Amino acid sequence: MHIIAIQTLREFWEKHPQAETPLRAWYADTSRADWRTPSDIKAAHRNASFLPNDRVVFNIKGNDYRLVVAVRYTSTMMFIRFVGTHAEYDRINAETI
């Protein structure tokens, strides 16, 4: 997958250093993946949640953090839309962010 906006992840882990290792691991695994369907993602991340507008929510570091991406399956691209704590996630609309 081509992941757009790794800078968003970097800015987050600079504020939350404990998130760096799990976010780097997610990025490394995802950038090597070739996910063409939601089922492909689910096979690799059984706790991923799928929302309207091709949004996927990943639990990071045992659900301490949430990562929301917009997926374009045909072009194998992911756009990072949000990364934050669980409390911050509760204050957004993940379907439209």
Side-chain angles (χ1 to χ4, degrees), residues 31-51:
S31 63
R32 287 190 300 266
D34 183 27
W35 296 327
R36 301 291 179 156
T37 67
S39 297
D40 294 340
I41 295 173
K42 198 66 165 175
H45 294 273
R46 63 183 180 91
N47 291 324
S49 300
F50 298 87
L51 304 175

Side-chain angles (χ1 to χ4, degrees), residues 8-26:
T8 304
L9 298 181
R10 277 194 197 105
E11 290 170 0
F12 185 77
W13 74 53
E14 286 172 0
K15 293 176 188 171
H16 302 272
Q18 64 279 16
E20 182 174 2
T21 299
L23 285 171
R24 282 185 181 273
W26 176 88

